[in-house]
Amino acid sequence: MVELSEEEQRILAYLREQVASGDSYFRAKNIAESIGLSAKQVGVRLPNLSEKADEVDIEKWGRARSTTWRVTRS
């Protein structure tokens, strides 16, 4: 089992809940607003979570003004 920080656990719990009904697309700032972290805190952790998380697949999807992340159930 991979050791996750408290912030990573909060992000992962939020993402699991949001993708329970199917694939979703997120921006770090929207996740941050929902769980009480800064967009920078979330944005820095998402690439690491994409490699650590077993329950969801996190993929860098697009970049317009900010990076969009595609999250699917594993």
Side-chain angles (χ1 to χ4, degrees), residues 3-58:
E3 193 69 31
L4 298 176
S5 70
E6 188 265 335
E7 289 89 2
E8 289 173 329
Q9 290 174 15
R10 288 171 59 191
I11 294 166
L12 195 53
Y14 174 80
L15 294 175
R16 275 194 307 256
E17 180 182 314
Q18 295 300 309
V19 299
S21 61
D23 301 359
S24 292
Y25 297 85
F26 300 95
R27 291 209 166 134
K29 72 176 188 172
N30 299 115
I31 297 170
E33 289 172 1
S34 297
I35 62 173
L37 296 174
S38 72
K40 186 173 183 174
Q41 287 175 301
V42 173
V44 166
R45 286 169 176 81
L46 282 172
N48 294 333
L49 278 174
S50 69
E51 296 182 16
K52 293 180 180 180
D54 293 331
E55 307 89 9
V56 294
D57 292 322
I58 303 168

